[in-house]
Amino acid sequence: MYIENSYSLLHKVDAKAPELADAQSVIQHWHGKRIRRIDRYIQLCVAGGLACTEKRELPGNTGVYLATRCGAVSTSALVMKTIEAENELPKPLHFINTLGNSAGFYLTQLLQVTGTALVLSKEAHSFEAALLHALMDLSLGKSEYALVGAFDEVALPVEHQLKRLNFAPDAPALFEGSHWLLLSNQHKALNVSLPIFANSLVEIVSVTQPAATNVQLSFAPTDAEREQLSEYQVNVFCQRELDQGVAPHGAFSAASLIDAVSKTVPMLHISRSDNGYYCAVALND
Amino acid sequence: MPYFRTAQRTPTNFYQWLIEELDQLLRDAKLDADARRQTALLIGSSSFDVHVSEQQYRTEIANLGSEQAVAMPIVGYGKLAERCGDELGLSPHRHTYSTACTSSANAMIYGKQLIEQSLVKHVLVLGLEPENNTSALGFYGLGLISPSEQMHPFDNDRDGLVLGEGLGAVLLSDKSQTPEHEQRFRLMGGAIGTDNHSLTAAHVDGAEIARVIEQALAQANIKAQDIAAIKVHGTASLKNDEAEAAALHRVFGPALPTAFAFKPYIGHTLGACGALEVALTLGCLQVGKLPCTPNAKGDGDLGITITNKPLPSPTGYYLFNCFAFGGNNNALLVHDQGAEARH
Amino acid sequence: MVDSVTDELKLRLKQIIIEECDKDELTPADIADDAPLLGEELDLDSLDVLQICMAVKKEYGVRIEGNTAARRALKSINTLAQTIADDAR
């Protein structure tokens, strides 16, 4: 399947002076007005989805495949605090915003699509999971277009978020963002393969047999991993930040993959999960 | 507040309990280490392990005070599937679906597709919903819990739902991996549609729900009159029952097949209800019966009668309806070729 | 306890509505005391109604339960203020 368009909003939140990504202004740009009652998690979804589709009129059956590793953390924490610490009922609006389909509801309404809508999660490979589902449906002819997006937010305060994500308390910054692909079955410059999951790089390379010599990684590789990829031209996405200990967000592999797409050359993209699985996505022309 | 609790009380170690349950299930299905490596794990839930998160937060509040305590300490919807998958030696295809009440119903559709794409040979679909404060009080705050503490889907006096907890599991296997005597039930597939008319309730004209049912029928290449019986979603809330009834009348006209419901017995198990209600249905079909709801009145202006008499189960195609907040609608189709056909 | 309809009560109710319904673009002056809250210009929906009822309960201890009661109370700022005042008597 082919890549029609892509969009990435990657934002680094300084741990000392946290400033969150301004998703409302992206929404404002594409939609013309602010949307009320949506939290930042939903804003990240809507902003990315609108920016990736750029006011295209998509067919009504276009599938929307959303991915998030951690979901609406800020609002979920707020609801839990209201219940457990304040002994109050959660506000209806807050509870609704924590539900799985709420982000997709706003986005599909704005895009005027009524086809398949999913929310997938798979730890560090959440975006790849959504991509897999989109590609399976496209190959079955369920729709001509599929919009795939991954988004994860930084929930303040920073020290709580670092604790939740199990990162070092002295991490200098945290990433957050929203990263998207619009796929179609119409021929375009770049096509994207079905994601392959395996527990070794050797297996990944032997299964994908990449035609490309370029590999992009969404993680800082060990020496052993570098060795296994020695035949390839390896680029590590945001290497400097990763070396500095910046905490990647749940959708980090998506940010890296969209970055690889933007280079418009054949490439193998590989991400790694905490429990040692790799996921490869091949971009070919 | 009314609630359907499982007889088995909350285990002290939820994760260990879940892994042991799944391990037993895989043993019962005689899946050895090789087969397990070819088995995907798909989990659909509305709240995952949020009850553990709540417990941890309460402990922290007690120890550190509410300013220091981290609310929602456990994040990552996919953690459960990875943990279970690692422990049980399953395929890396572990996918987690978070579409509120359709979560595990949606997982069923992609379980079938993962097998058809030859990515795995088996798929374990879980619908999971442990009791938790977030869902219970969230629904209460929305005014959706039945004041009479009983669910009467499609009746005139319906006044809302009662929540429940549960774990439902369905094992899907490629035909080549299924002994002939276990080939009785076939998942035909299903469809998903989005009704973005309203965030909190389905459109009462039922058009969007009807579209999803018709899509599921078309994809499976069967006609409305081929449906033997319908497992309704039936949340007994005013508008959602109205929408479901309107959709069924649109699709089936005057020849509505027998309809049955589980929620009056087990409550609304939210993200678990898709897989859980399929599993319960298959259990009933195996003993040749359709589930019935003795106190269903069927006096509804909605014109849908939940069967209130014990009926023998017909063979043929079963439709499973499942709808969620945010307008996510799901229709699944299962074929039962009957107990005799396997010989 | 608030047992009579005052301008102060009405102003506070307008602030509650703006806040609970995230109607950022409005100020209390934009909402007339007798303007319909549901449908029409302000266009509040069922979720807004739930938000307002919960906030009113928290601030004034007045329960507005069920769809019919909520729709009756939320006709306008005047009716909402009256509902709160009546409840106290």
Side-chain angles (χ1 to χ4, degrees), chain A residues 92-158:
Chain A
L93 186 52
H94 290 159
F95 176 63
I96 292 268
N97 278 349
T98 66
L99 298 179
N101 297 318
S102 295
F105 170 84
Y106 286 100
L107 180 61
T108 56
Q109 194 177 53
L110 290 169
L111 297 176
Q112 297 185 304
V113 297
T114 57
T116 296
L118 280 182
V119 181
L120 270 303
S121 195
K122 192 181 182 351
E123 292 287 272
H125 291 145
S126 295
F127 181 75
E128 286 91 337
L131 181 61
L132 172 78
H133 285 69
L135 291 169
M136 286 197 294
D137 280 353
L138 281 172
S139 72
L140 286 174
K142 285 194 192 174
S143 65
E144 300 75 54
Y145 288 86
L147 181 61
V148 192
F151 39 95
D152 274 287
E153 62 167 345
V154 167
L156 298 176
V158 162

Side-chain angles (χ1 to χ4, degrees), chain A residues 101 109 114-115 133 137 142, chain B residues 92 97 110 113 194 196 211 325:
Chain A
N101 297 318
Q109 194 177 53
T114 57
H133 285 69
D137 280 353
K142 285 194 192 174
Chain B
Y97 302 76
Y110 290 95
Q113 286 180 210
T194 303
N196 40 40
R211 184 172 61 84
F325 266 158

